[in-house]
Structures are given as structure tokens and as C-alpha cells.
Amino acid sequence: MTISRFAFPTPIHFGAGARKGVAAHLLEQGCKRPLIVTDRALAQLPILAEFKSHLGGLQVAVFDGVFGNPSCAQVMAGAAAFKAHAADCVIGFGGGAALDVAKVVGVMATHEGDVLEYVWDHPQVRPIVNELPYFIALPTTSGTGSEVGRSSVVSENDTHHKRTVFSAKILARAVFADPELTFALPPAITAATGMDALTHNIESYLSPAYHPLCDGIALEGLRVGARALVTAVKVPHNLQARADMMMSSLMGAV
């Protein structure tokens, strides 16, 4: 599989082995000290060590404090880790939870207050005014499509109510969508996240809002995902099926 590059609007590097281009990309942007934001379970698996092996020339730190539904406390801890490392960029590596936290770690590393003050429905919502650290995303599941989303859903620490930071400013500056990163997903998680991707496409198409561009994307995302999901579950290392599911997830989020 060759690596394709396109933008909608985020520049996307799509294909097997895309993860291997991250170091060169960051160095081209003048970034040398990335903080990888990932979840606790993923950090213990060989997949993260393998990814880090491709980050030669960079001084890498890892924040693996994401677990369960992402919370405000996790975001603030990630921002503290960013400052402690004197990081100059953020790499989101994981599923939807890790990517949602990664999106706003840079916000809270460069802005005052608590992340809850930046959620869209806060009565005195704070604007994101400062320049944010360079942020790239690598999804390791095919479900939420969080890598191309402009929202971050985090839960309140005490009530666990989900709140949303919504801004185009937290969009990833580049996405490296590598279907090989999903090879190790267990069948049950492949199935569950795959249904999430299909549902996002269905929801978009059934929306009463007039948006023929999104209707077309949703229908194609549904077609691509529906043909691939069973194979991805039954044959985990089928590259084409994994690529189709990653594309379906991405399209559903767009």
C-alpha cells in the first residue's frame, strides 16, 4: 500500500507505514521535543515502543495518564508533563480518548485556568488566544475519527458529566493514519469501534440539515466500512480491510 496525501481540511498521510514519516515531518516543522500523549494500557504494549523506534533525532517524552473516559484532571496532568519536558509539540497516539486529551494538552500548556473554562457552553467561556504547540495525531483504532475532529470531549472530575471544547484551533496540524497500527486490536474492539464508525456515517446521512457534501462522504464512508468490517474482525492482519475501516472512521468524523 502506498502512502496517499490529501487534506480535508487537515493534511492527512494515509497508508501502511505512514507512522514512519512522523520524525521527518516534525523536524521539518522545527519541532524537536515532542510529548506523546497516549493511554495507560497502550503504553504497555509493543506498539508504542515500535512507534518510538521511528522517532530518531527527536527528544521524546511520554504522558500515559489517559484511562477510561478522559477527564479534566488528565488534561491538566498532560499539560504539566508538557511543561516539565519543555516540549515544543504534541503527538496524540491512541484511540478517541487519548486523542481528545492530546488536542487540549497544548491549550492548557499555553493558557491559564482550568480546561473546563474553555468548554463551549461555559457561561464565561475563555477564548483560545495564544499560539498552540504543533499537534499531530495517529489513530490506533478505527471508530471515533477523533484525529480529524475539532472537538475534545472531557469529563468533569467529580460529576463525570461530559463537556466539550469546540474550536478549529485544536484541529491536528497533520494526521498520520496508518492502518498497521490497528493490526493488534482484538476482534471485539475491532467490531465495537467499527460499528461506531458506521454509525457516525449513518447519523450524518440521516441528519435533516442540508449538506450534500457531507451526504456524499457519509454514503461512501458507510459503503467502504460495511464491506470491510467483517473481514477486519475475522482476519486482523488484512491490510485492505484495516485501511478501509480507518478510512470509514475518518470519513464519518469529517
Side-chain angles (χ1 to χ4, degrees):
M1 177 178 288
T2 59
I3 296 175
S4 301
R5 294 175 174 82
F6 49 92
F8 202 85
T10 308
I12 297 166
H13 305 249
F14 188 95
R19 67 193 184 283
K20 299 175 184 178
V22 166
H25 177 82
L26 290 179
L27 289 169
E28 287 173 2
Q29 306 305 317
C31 299
K32 298 180 180 179
R33 298 182 62 84
L35 176 72
I36 298 176
V37 176
T38 190
D39 69 69
R40 185 175 294 171
L42 198 61
Q44 306 304 315
L45 299 177
I47 185 175
L48 180 60
E50 193 277 340
F51 171 59
K52 288 173 62 180
S53 73
H54 301 297
L55 300 181
L58 300 173
Q59 298 180 58
V60 181
V62 176
F63 171 72
D64 61 359
V66 182
F67 56 93
N69 287 323
S71 68
C72 299
Q74 293 173 21
V75 173
M76 300 308 293
F82 182 95
K83 294 176 183 178
H85 181 54
D88 56 15
C89 60
V90 175
I91 300 174
F93 186 84
L99 296 184
D100 274 8
V101 171
K103 287 177 190 175
V104 285
V105 161
V107 174
M108 298 320 303
T110 55
H111 289 73
E112 297 180 348
D114 186 86
V115 66
L116 275 179
E117 298 174 60
Y118 294 86
V119 301
W120 74 272
D121 59 347
H122 190 282
Q124 285 87 40
V125 57
R126 289 189 178 215
I128 299 173
V129 294
N130 299 329
E131 183 177 356
L132 300 182
Y134 198 82
F135 167 54
I136 67 171
L138 289 89
T140 61
T141 64
S142 298
T144 68
S146 181
E147 64 273 11
V148 294
R150 62 190 67 198
S151 63
S152 171
V153 179
V154 293
S155 298
E156 295 181 8
N157 298 324
D158 299 327
T159 67
H160 306 296
H161 290 163
K162 292 184 177 182
R163 309 293 295 278
T164 303
V165 179
F166 187 84
S167 172
K169 293 182 179 180
I170 66 173
L171 278 167
R173 302 289 293 277
V175 169
F176 291 78
D178 188 338
E180 290 182 341
L181 292 175
T182 65
F183 278 173
L185 282 177
I189 296 178
T190 299
T193 54
M195 290 305 296
D196 195 18
L198 296 184
T199 301
H200 286 164
N201 284 289
I202 292 169
E203 287 175 333
S204 177
Y205 183 69
L206 294 181
S207 168
Y210 178 71
H211 204 319
L213 295 175
C214 280
D215 286 348
I217 293 170
L219 284 175
E220 179 64 7
L222 182 59
R223 185 187 71 83
V224 167
R227 78 182 181 194
L229 181 54
V230 172
T231 302
V233 171
K234 292 184 176 180
V235 191
H237 283 72
N238 185 299
L239 180 58
Q240 188 60 58
R242 289 296 194 180
D244 284 347
M245 289 312 304
M246 185 162 279
M247 180 56 71
S248 177
S249 172
L250 189 155
M251 294 174 79
V254 167

